[in-house]
Amino acid sequence: MARSVDLLIKQMRRKGVDTIFGIPGGANMPFYDALYDADINSYLMRHEQQAAHAAEGYARIKNRPGICSGTSGPGATNLITGLVDASMDSIPVLAITGQVVRAFMGTDAFQEADIVGLTLPHIKYAVTVKDSRRLVQEFVNAYTVAMTGRPGPTLLDIPRDVMQEEIEEDDVDVMPEPLFNQRPREPDVHSIMEAAKAISQAEKPVILSGGGVLFSGATQEVLELAEFIGAPIVTTTPGKSSVPETHPLVLGVVGMHGRLEADLAIMESDLVICVGTRLSDRAIGPAQDFERGRKIIHIDIDSSEIGKNVKPTISLNGDAKLVLRELIDYIKHIMAKRPESPLIRRFKEVGEAYDEFMMSQEGNSRMTSWKVISLLNNILPPDTIVTTGVGQHQMWTQLFWKSRTPSSFISSCGLGTMGFGLPAAFGAKAAAPDRTVVNLDGDGSFLMTCQTLACIADYNLPIITIIFDNRTLGMVRQWQDMFYQKRFKDVDYTDKTDLVKLSEAFGVEAVRVDSYEELTTVVKRAVRSNTAITIDVPIGREEMVFPMVPPGKWLSEVKLPPGLELHDKVSHIRTA
Amino acid sequence: MTRFLIYVQLSNNPDAIAKMMLLVKQGQLSLEGATIASTDSGARLSAILTLIGTQQKAEWLTKKLLNYPFFHQAWLLRIQ
Ligand SMILES: Cc1ncc(C[n+]2csc(CCOP(=O)(O)OP(=O)(O)O)c2C)c(N)n1
């Protein structure tokens, strides 16, 4: 006989769980007690939201579920933001929450919250395990389904007395029940043939690579297809690191704050091959405009995404890697390899003109966000993992940071959760201690989850945090500037909060830099010595991120940085 | 707007029913009627929902349900 929670931990080890982020409390104490003897790294976080984001960061690197835990009531409810975030970005995360004992459930007992009910709209699977003999099976189910098909968050809610109940010991490798382990559909041969034919007939095809490419591990297939048909690749924000942005065919992120060359490629295309993306309005603008004048092939593992936002000409439901493999094999039979489209050079010239213009701009502060990020491209190792908060700094990162390895750009794309960057970086570093992990943060975002610095210090997980310190909620300020007649309300901070001292108080070295040279020296030293550091970079409050496609508008309505003229290069883009 | 019947086989627990209704809501479909009964010696529930909305949303719901392991099967029938 053994406690069910001990059998749970044993099964977790069997399934390869080696890391947990969480905080103990009354209801999940037996879980922590069982962890005491286990060969599992458990990181004591300072807030459960941070545990959930850390689990997301971990999952993105390991490509398997990240685990977070909280006690019943507030511990569990604090996890919710991270779980909804994971749902929006299709990240496999398993939350294990304690629950009040069965006899007290439904009595508004101390720290009782219906966490299953609270997370149900956004969770792939959640269950309160009331039968201790089901605990291990439910874990295996929740763990498996989190990464089966389209990945997403799951939750296992366990009453304290269930954890403690003694049950028959049966230490075997438990398999998921069939409903929790359904294989994705095989690609439909007829649709593959149709898609191949459409591609062979297209004159200006473009590949739009989404986050699904990362989970499917389809980077090579996307590149192979692009190289064979000579087509440019653009990405969504979650798909940013799905292809190396230094590859000659890759034009960068498309959409609201996308690269001009990527937006142009979509605008001029006669066929877009969309892979592993839900085609959100942020990426492609209004669906009617996107659908007009071009064919669309939509490849997605989640059949409900096909036709949800955009009506495709051809739909290919299945795992991106498998579908692309078959598609490429078939295409190679019906067409010859094409040279790189001459349009790509033209698109790139537009991008280069934008870069050149931005590099000539000084801004009001001694340093500008875009120059800082451009500089980081040259001094950080190619496999650096970059995380971000949410706001202008995130968009500058999207525009100027060049991802070179898969899953090396980790950001809150769908939910847009300020405070995501630091704990996600912590989780990523726990998953990849040998890689450089850099959190590019806004001061507003940083202040939402800066307690993770305490964990960085305690566990000696060296993360480099660069704060784009504009003393304002920059992105909101930009919208107030553009759409609310500059009526700046509740966005600006004073200088009173000293972010350097704050970081030092948590035990992490910090420095305020005043020049690009100083920044270079500090970053290089931190990378070389593999030490944690917080770098406060003063940035002008007036910076505005352009290009920007105003919400609800088609890509051709993009607003350029004031002063940038592109009329000689493109006729169908307006200036701000 | 069209009227649809969706037949769903789901696990026999209130969370599965709640999830089903939340998906009806997320699909912006209106509910005209629902019949839920247990089958399979109580192991499962079978639900018949009468819904009004667009074809696109009804199809979305039918496919979306199968993303979640609360649901065994879902069929859509257009009735008007
Ligand atoms: C938790 C949360 N609250 C509010 C918002 C709305 N919001 C979006 S961007 C932004 C400003 C972010 O400021 P900061 O992190 O300093 O980044 P900056 O835009 O200045 O680069 C706010 C408040 C959000 N995305 N997330």
Side-chain angles (χ1 to χ4, degrees):
Chain A
M1 300 290 277
R3 285 187 307 180
S4 73
V5 74
D6 292 313
L7 300 182
L8 167 68
I9 298 283
K10 270 193 189 165
Q11 195 64 217
M12 288 171 83
R13 279 304 296 142
R14 271 189 185 274
K15 296 293 175 205
V17 172
D18 57 9
T19 303
I20 286 170
F21 307 91
I23 300 181
N28 67 347
M29 276 175 72
F31 179 69
Y32 273 87
D33 184 61
L35 277 175
Y36 187 88
D37 297 315
D39 182 18
I40 291 179
N41 293 319
S42 70
Y43 292 102
L44 170 57
M45 306 303 287
R46 299 302 192 266
H47 189 292
E48 291 83 356
Q49 180 190 347
Q50 292 158 39
H53 292 324
E56 291 183 87
Y58 176 93
R60 286 290 305 270
I61 298 303
K62 290 280 196 182
N63 232 347
R64 61 166 193 251
I67 315 267
C68 53
S69 182
T71 191
S72 65
T77 57
N78 273 351
L79 290 170
I80 293 176
T81 301
L83 296 177
V84 180
D85 192 274
S87 164
M88 290 291 268
D89 286 349
S90 307
I91 302 177
V93 167
L94 168 60
I96 298 179
T97 52
Q99 181 56 274
V100 300
V101 297
R102 282 167 290 183
F104 282 6
M105 285 178 72
T107 65
D108 291 337
F110 177 65
Q111 295 197 326
E112 181 184 5
D114 175 11
I115 191 62
V116 169
L118 283 162
T119 53
L120 213 46
H122 301 280
I123 202 109
K124 206 169 165 191
Y125 180 66
V127 62
T128 301
V129 185
K130 292 190 185 146
D131 177 353
S132 52
R133 286 161 306 173
R134 288 280 304 162
L135 181 57
V136 167
Q137 183 65 61
E138 286 288 6
F139 157 71
V140 173
N141 288 348
Y143 188 79
T144 310
V145 83
M147 55 183 171
T148 306
R150 180 180 182 166
T154 57
L155 183 139
L156 208 55
D157 184 42
I158 321 170
R160 185 164 50 87
D161 58 327
V162 168
M163 294 191 205
Q164 282 168 318
E165 215 158 59
E166 300 266 333
I167 56 170
E168 202 76 48
E169 196 154 356
D170 193 8
D171 190 18
V172 292
D173 192 13
V174 175
M175 290 296 122
E177 290 170 327
L179 202 52
F180 295 82
N181 194 23
Q182 290 180 340
R183 296 283 114 219
R185 263 212 223 152
E186 287 295 311
D188 169 56
V189 178
H190 181 72
S191 305
I192 295 270
M193 284 158 64
E194 246 188 294
K197 201 166 136 211
I199 293 169
S200 72
Q201 288 167 350
E203 285 174 16
K204 294 179 281 182
V206 173
I207 300 176
L208 173 59
S209 181
V213 169
L214 288 167
F215 283 113
S216 169
T219 296
Q220 278 321 313
E221 284 72 15
V222 169
L223 292 174
E224 188 179 337
L225 176 63
E227 283 164 10
F228 191 79
I229 65 174
I233 305 171
V234 301
T235 75
T236 62
T237 303
K240 179 168 164 72
S241 58
S242 62
V243 282
E245 291 181 294
T246 45
H247 188 283
L249 295 177
V250 177
L251 301 180
V253 178
V254 75
M256 182 175 276
H257 288 290
R259 295 282 311 183
L260 283 171
E261 56 269 52
D263 288 354
L264 268 178
I266 292 286
M267 280 188 270
E268 295 218 359
S269 65
D270 60 357
L271 170 78
V272 184
I273 307 160
C274 313
V275 192
T277 160
R278 67 167 170 270
L279 296 168
S280 87
D281 56 309
R282 271 241 158 176
I284 51 126
Q288 319 85 277
D289 291 305
F290 184 66
E291 287 164 357
R292 195 172 306 131
R294 62 181 57 75
K295 289 187 174 164
I296 295 158
I297 298 173
H298 193 177
I299 302 171
D300 207 289
I301 197 160
D302 179 354
S303 65
S304 73
E305 283 304 337
I306 295 176
K308 185 183 87 177
N309 294 335
V310 167
K311 216 171 163 28
T313 323
I314 300 158
S315 55
L316 289 167
N317 177 214
D319 176 74
K321 192 179 177 76
L322 292 180
V323 173
L324 285 173
R325 188 68 268 145
E326 291 207 10
L327 187 60
I328 294 164
D329 291 348
Y330 194 77
I331 283 175
K332 285 184 174 170
H333 279 105
I334 65 165
M335 66 183 271
K337 186 173 187 305
R338 280 199 192 147
E340 186 179 308
S341 162
L343 282 173
I344 294 174
R345 187 62 250 144
R346 227 192 78 217
F347 298 148
K348 287 205 160 179
E349 276 172 18
V350 174
E352 284 156 14
Y354 167 76
D355 286 341
E356 212 172 285
F357 174 82
M358 292 305 293
M359 292 309 146
S360 71
Q361 301 298 298
E362 286 307 333
N364 288 340
S365 175
R366 245 174 283 178
M367 300 169 83
T368 64
S369 302
W370 56 91
K371 287 185 192 169
V372 167
I373 297 166
S374 301
L375 183 147
L376 293 174
N377 280 318
N378 302 325
I379 55 179
L380 290 171
D383 68 343
T384 297
I385 298 164
V386 165
T387 66
T388 74
V390 169
Q392 289 178 313
H393 64 281
Q394 179 191 29
M395 295 300 117
W396 289 123
T397 307
Q398 160 166 306
L399 284 162
F400 285 93
W401 170 251
K402 301 254 178 271
S403 298
R404 283 156 282 181
T405 30
S407 292
S408 62
F409 173 76
I410 305 179
S411 193
S412 171
C413 307
L415 195 63
T417 311
M418 285 172 72
F420 175 84
L422 193 59
F426 185 79
K429 187 74 182 177
D434 296 335
R435 285 170 70 179
T436 301
V437 179
V438 179
N439 167 38
L440 301 180
D441 226 339
D443 49 334
S445 295
F446 173 75
L447 282 168
M448 288 203 177
T449 53
C450 58
Q451 311 96 303
T452 298
L453 287 171
C455 310
I456 291 173
D458 280 0
Y459 293 102
N460 192 22
L461 277 187
I463 287 152
I464 300 171
T465 288
I466 300 179
I467 306 171
F468 294 79
D469 187 358
N470 53 9
R471 295 288 149 161
T472 189
L473 299 171
M475 186 55 94
V476 179
R477 192 174 212 281
Q478 175 164 349
W479 281 51
Q480 289 179 345
D481 186 303
M482 293 174 71
F483 309 120
Y484 294 87
Q485 298 78 44
K486 298 188 196 294
R487 286 155 58 86
F488 300 120
K489 175 67 182 155
D490 284 349
V491 283
D492 293 343
Y493 296 163
T494 67
D495 283 338
K496 287 183 186 151
T497 308
D498 186 329
L499 299 180
V500 170
K501 280 191 188 154
L502 178 88
S503 180
E504 286 169 350
F506 278 116
V508 175
E509 184 194 341
V511 56
R512 184 168 298 115
V513 297
D514 268 328
S515 67
Y516 299 111
E517 295 72 34
E518 208 184 334
L519 175 71
T520 307
T521 309
V522 173
V523 171
K524 279 188 172 169
R525 179 171 55 79
V527 171
R528 204 174 40 241
S529 58
N530 196 20
T531 44
I533 190 157
T534 305
I535 308 170
D536 190 25
V537 182
I539 294 291
R541 196 174 264 173
E542 293 73 23
E543 271 187 9
M544 302 248 265
V545 196
F546 294 109
M548 178 178 188
V549 180
K553 298 280 198 265
W554 173 232
L555 302 176
S556 60
E557 302 280 317
V558 66
K559 290 186 186 299
L560 301 179
L564 172 60
E565 291 295 337
L566 287 175
H567 290 309
D568 54 330
K569 295 197 164 53
V570 271
S571 53
H572 47 302
I573 281 189
R574 304 185 181 175
T575 40
Chain B
M1 291 291 163
T2 315
R3 182 174 282 118
F4 300 93
L5 281 186
I6 292 193
Y7 175 81
V8 189
Q9 269 206 5
L10 55 158
S11 304
N12 187 353
N13 73 63
D15 295 327
I17 301 172
K19 183 76 174 173
M20 180 171 70
M21 291 307 178
L22 287 164
L23 288 165
V24 169
K25 174 182 156 190
Q26 283 168 13
Q28 295 179 356
L29 293 150
S30 3
L31 189 64
E32 219 185 41
T35 319
I36 301 174
S38 77
T39 57
D40 205 7
S41 315
R44 292 185 190 185
L45 297 174
S46 75
I48 299 171
L49 309 182
T50 315
L51 301 167
I52 299 178
T54 63
Q55 171 96 19
Q56 186 201 12
K57 290 290 184 189
E59 280 174 8
W60 171 84
L61 173 65
T62 316
K63 293 183 204 156
K64 192 74 183 173
L65 283 162
L66 298 178
N67 271 0
Y68 303 106
F70 296 102
F71 308 106
H72 297 261
Q73 275 170 329
W75 292 284
L76 176 68
L77 192 70
R78 197 185 149 126
I79 55 173
Q80 212 181 53

